[in-house]
Amino acid sequence: MKIIRQGLKQQPYTSNRGAALVMTLIIVAMMTILAVAFLVSMQVEQRASHAYANTQRAKMIAQGSVSHAVELLRSNIPEPAQIGENAETAPGENWVSNPGQLTIFTKSGEKKVPLHTGEVDRDPKSTTDPNVYSVDLNEPLPGEEEPMIAMALNDEGAPDYGQENPEMRVKWAPIFRKPGEKPGAENPLIGRYAFWMDDESSKLNFNATLGKPSPTEDDPEQFHKQYKMGLMTPLFRRGAGDVEFNQSSGDREWALGKLRSVNLDVLFDDPNDLDYNQLLAHAWLRGFSRYPEAILDFVHVSDRDQWYAGNKFNLTFYSRSPEFNAFGRPRLFTTDIPLSLEAGPLYQLPFVYDDPSAATIDKLEDGTLHLHSLLGSLGFTHTIDDDVDGRVNAANIVNRAQLEMLMRYFRREWPGYDGASLVQKYGELEAYQMALNMLLMSRMATTTMNNSLNIGSRDWAWRTTSVNYSPHSEERKGSNPERFYWQIEPESQPGKKVPMLPQTPGPHIMEVRMIFKAVQGNNPTKFGIQYRHETEVYMNPGGPVLELWRFPTKVDYFHIKAKGGGTEAEQRFGPISPDAPDAETNPSRNWNHGYTLGRLRATAPRPINIGPRGGRQNSRNRIVVTSQTRAIGNGHSWVPASGGVEFDRKKGSKVKIDLKWRLGMGVNPGWDRPRQMIPLGEEEVDTLDASIDLDLRPGEEYSISWQIIDPRLSWSRDQWVKEEAEDGTAGTPGQLNTGEPGEFSSEKSKFRYIQRGPGSITDPANPGKGRAFGINRPDEYNSRSRVSSIGYWSTIHTGIQNLAPYRTMNLGGGVTPDTQSPPDYVMLDLLGATYPMQHDQWRINSTLPDEFSTISFMHSTAGQINVNSKIYPVNNYFDAPVRKKPLEAVFKHLRSDSEIRDFVNDIVDKQESGPFQYIGEIGTVASANLKGTDATEFFNEAPLRNMAGCLTTKSNCFSVWGVSQVIKKIPGHTEWGEFEDGDTVLAEKRYHAIVERYIWPGKDGIPGNGHFNSQGIWDKLAIQRAVIPKNGSNTDTLFQLPGSPPLFKAGENLRLRLDLKGTYPVFDGPQEVLMGRYTRHALGNVAWERSTLENAMNPPQPVIKYRVVYFKYLDE
Amino acid sequence: MNKIVSAVLMFTLVMSQVRAQDETEKPDKPEKDSEGIIPISPVKLFDALPANPKTWELKRSIGTRSYSGWVESRVQRIFEKKVIDPKKPDEPEKVLVTRVTITDTGKFSEAIAGFDDFKPEKHEDYEKAFIQKYPAVIVPYEGEVEVTLLVKGRFKVEYILENQPKKYLKEWMRHTKFDVLTKIADTPVTVLPAEINILKIDQLNPKKNSVYLLATSSNSQQAKDLAEEEILQKKIDGEIPVLPGELDFLLE
């Protein structure tokens, strides 16, 4: 202050005029500057504000465009059938998806629905701005090089980094100021969007896939040896850690056919660049990754960004495909009880519902009838007293209803095959036979069975009879085995009953021989005539090793007459006809009768084991067993060898013997049940017969042989070829039969069955040499499951009634093409594969399941690869690369790389004539069949058979790749409804969304009922009869979950069983559902509460909804 | 515990009733299990057969091992000779046929029952006598004589001479090497093996040779199986009480 004052004092006085002006000017200038600055600032703010607003508008348009995409799907994909509709009445509308296109197949033809905003019909170069009429969705963001959707791919489907990015251009969809009104000056174009929908199921889902080992890999499981041996299924090891339910840590085995068999490593130059262990451990412990780039955590390549850019077109983290058949009904899953997520996506649609208020459509009873699974093993312990003073097996009601259900499908005209049904193709009887075959095979796939040689043989014997038919307790009482035949009443032959037995797995009788011998009595001129029979028993490839004594050959009818040597003898055991007066009283109507037929059986001694060729445990695949020696006599009892009628040679040196007999394979235990009948029938004409002249000379044997080419046709007497020889040498005992295909022939290559049971097997081509593999494969809950693929049903015989030996479900590969409609492979569409848990979600404190990470959930399965890989639209401006790697991944290492390449190329090429309706169609491409010595039907169809469960033709998940713009028409432009060259784009957003089509589990969002009580416990759990300890080490924990059926703990078994006296979680919705009287005893009870559909927490009607499971703006 | 005890008691009671019921039904003649010596290979038996005697043509030479209640090895040769009766030169040739069969019965009782309590005797239709110290049964038929000898109580040697006088028998026996048979030592008597090699050897047509294993089981095992199965079925039908867990294998 002082200095200032001094300074002021030192200044001389001068004039201060103008200072005010200066000051004013300065102030004005400053204010002007401020004002201008403010104005400029305001302008910027306004522009920013407009830009923000426009961006928000663009986002809203983008979100709206996703709704458009969903609407395209929702309004075009057929809804599932109503629960009141059955296999006969459900609409037959099949649909398939491709990237960019839906195709719906109806009776009136095909309907194609583009899954994008429009195909480009004007050259983008015709305008200054190429994006006037269309937009390239694959165009990189400004300043970047990486394309949005796909990099160029080479002929093998791998990224081609040197090529230009492919153009993927679609038309814009306009948005007007007043939507729904005509465009005009007051209603100009204000925005537009474009999108294209990719099919996520046509990509590799890195959460679900892993990969089979290569042939050159150090593989302790020797997967390729198993594969070459024809094991069903071969097993391999991949990935570290505890990966499945009830399996000890470190066991990492997978069955070929599980989704983990799909080779994700096809995306790498070196398969070791994929960290299998970490990827699997992540899925197991943390669940599925939830964003596309998460794959990079498991990839060890030098330039991960480049790798990802090149491969992202083949990758997804979320793909699901529907488990509904072409008639809109849930597929049939192979599981013994209606468990929910662990075994497959059953819950909450485990049953075929039959509205009790509707007419009785299943004939047998009202209400819920049967499982959406191919049931075989339930309920034979539970009988119900009925109105006619007898008992009936509850589960048999279910089995019969399932037979009816399958027949309804078989009678249907299959979508895509004009007017043709399987009944028309095969005939009604063969269709019935095929349905029976499927029922028994499903039983064999799911029933529990001990694997020790002794007890396992017992279980195999019992379960492989016609046990899927169980008569009423009063039905033909004492008539064994006749009362256990399925008595089919074909619609085409009213009033007729045709007895049938289902196709059984081995062992089978291939040849029977009857041997007569004259034996001198004490008076050397008088002879008794002894007889005995031999049966040749055969075990098919892959069959288990079994104790043969449990499979006796029993005689069901025996009528012998002998005349000569001055005397006559005749014996008849068994009624001559079911209509005969003694049919209900003759003690020999029972083939075990101890004084007649029971003494004619042939049983192997205890130490003899039968097994497949190459089987261990001292087994052989073809064994001849003799009966005891008996003598021809008179009377009503069997006659020991030393007894019988004496024929006097002095009165005639020859005796004429007439024989009619029927025999079959029974089981022990299983007193009354048959496995195979020779032939099947009840009239005397249904017998093997012979008429011979026997020389009364000591020591001479006379033999008659009956041989069959395919023992599964043994119901028909005409299939048994007779041969006689006076020296005892008729037939080919112990050897290949006359006309029988060789063990390694193509015809016999599919003489197989669901692989399980005791024993081990070495390479059938070098029996006894090299490593032996256990035959048994675990159940459906296991990653090594015996039913890892629905393709294993291809071993079902399709020629039993039509007498076509060794004909099985044709998946291609055979000598005879399947030319008649509908093709056999449509049957695969009825079936769903089973999928073990991929995630430790069931053990952690009984919390909710992680549905996101569950492989198969609510009839929607993750990771299946869509064979419809062709990308639409197809034009000059949409040049998406051909997607081949996912298909290659499915079949990788099942053949040589070049063979797989040819196969994939053929699959791709075939789509030029349209999409695949059914996965089985890929078996018809040229390269499906191998050339060379391995080209048996079994090996030709192996890729499809093994991998069928990893394939689909339709998707539930779609990637929406879109762009949205906010538009301003510039002055002078008056085409109000269109974007004109020069119009202004005010904002643009690019996005990627994944839309999922799913079955709504109810308003609580939980399959089953998710309501808590005040203690935090699910209060609408299944009601079971006993408290199960919650300690997960004692049992599994499924019973605690809201989607669980009623279960109980049986003995020390970890696996819980269905509690047939319990009640399922409460179902609700507008349609009443219940269990019928018999079904309730077989499957447990269903409770139901009325509600609106919107308020239902557990509706049994499959309700389709859509949700966005992933959304990302690509330019943020 | 009491329940189990009572179930066992009930089971025993019902079992005894079942047996009693069985006894009331048609009597079942019990069958013994077969016992015997395992016969030697037919290949060795061929050595005992006559070779090809001069002027006779060997028409058949087969060996078999078969089963007929017991294992049996058997070889047979058939010789033929065509002769013209010098007294009747205009008549067609006469065909002499000789069948020589050796059977190793393994001392199976049923196979040699015709020689039980053997003593020489004559009957209307046949004769029993010792021929060269061997017990023999001689049966004459029209144009044919059938002679069966039992050697060592085990081997049946059978001659069937067609269109030949009985005296030819000596000649055929001279060609038969009985010492081959007598030198064969008996092995211990045993029960029926689980599997038997069924053989067919055709020395004149070796392409017809064949072999297979035949699985057998005993009479007593069959009877036991039948009885056990019947009881099990009654348990399944609820006619007999069941022990806890006994039928669990039927459950699934």
Side-chain angles (χ1 to χ4, degrees), chain A residues 286-334:
Chain A
R286 302 287 180 120
F288 289 174
S289 299
R290 294 178 182 237
Y291 59 101
E293 297 83 5
I295 179 69
L296 293 174
D297 289 343
F298 315 107
V299 168
H300 303 302
V301 294
S302 54
D303 188 341
R304 297 197 306 170
D305 291 339
Q306 188 197 41
W307 177 88
Y308 182 73
N311 287 287
K312 65 181 181 182
F313 189 56
N314 285 322
L315 274 170
T316 183
F317 69 97
Y318 198 73
S319 61
R320 289 189 177 274
S321 43
E323 297 285 8
F324 285 80
N325 63 34
F327 304 101
R329 285 165 55 84
R331 285 190 175 135
L332 305 166
F333 289 90
T334 309

Side-chain angles (χ1 to χ4, degrees), chain A residues 882-1040:
Chain A
V882 180
R883 193 177 266 154
K884 295 180 177 176
K885 282 290 173 187
L887 284 169
E888 180 190 336
V890 174
F891 305 112
K892 184 78 176 174
H893 299 321
L894 295 184
R895 292 179 181 175
S896 72
D897 285 351
S898 64
E899 286 169 332
I900 294 298
R901 220 166 14 243
D902 291 345
F903 188 38
V904 170
N905 283 337
D906 281 353
I907 293 172
V908 170
D909 292 346
K910 187 162 170 71
Q911 294 176 65
E912 292 304 315
S913 57
F916 294 107
Q917 269 209 71
Y918 301 93
I919 58 170
E921 286 176 50
I922 66 170
T924 64
V925 303
S927 58
N929 287 0
L930 288 164
K931 297 176 180 65
T933 53
D934 285 342
T936 62
E937 186 172 359
F938 182 80
F939 279 105
N940 279 336
E941 67 163 38
L944 176 59
R945 183 184 63 245
N946 284 298
M947 302 305 288
C950 300
L951 297 170
T952 185
T953 55
K954 46 176 81 92
S955 181
N956 267 346
C957 292
F958 300 87
S959 259
V960 187
W961 295 92
V963 55
S964 60
Q965 289 182 346
V966 178
I967 303 297
K968 184 178 181 186
K969 300 287 293 179
I970 59 171
H973 280 184
T974 55
E975 293 290 339
W976 303 108
E978 290 184 10
F979 185 93
E980 294 170 85
D981 207 352
D983 281 345
T984 307
V985 175
L986 299 178
E988 177 178 299
K989 295 303 291 180
R990 293 190 177 235
Y991 66 90
H992 173 210
I994 297 180
V995 172
E996 184 189 7
R997 174 181 181 270
Y998 71 107
I999 300 286
W1000 185 55
K1003 73 172 183 180
D1004 55 3
I1006 297 168
N1009 200 307
H1011 191 267
F1012 279 107
N1013 66 14
S1014 56
Q1015 281 83 44
I1017 297 171
W1018 309 111
D1019 64 358
K1020 289 183 178 176
L1021 279 177
I1023 300 166
Q1024 40 235 351
R1025 60 184 150 172
V1027 175
I1028 306 169
K1030 289 195 174 184
N1031 183 346
S1033 63
N1034 288 334
T1035 69
D1036 56 48
T1037 55
L1038 296 169
F1039 69 96
Q1040 302 172 51

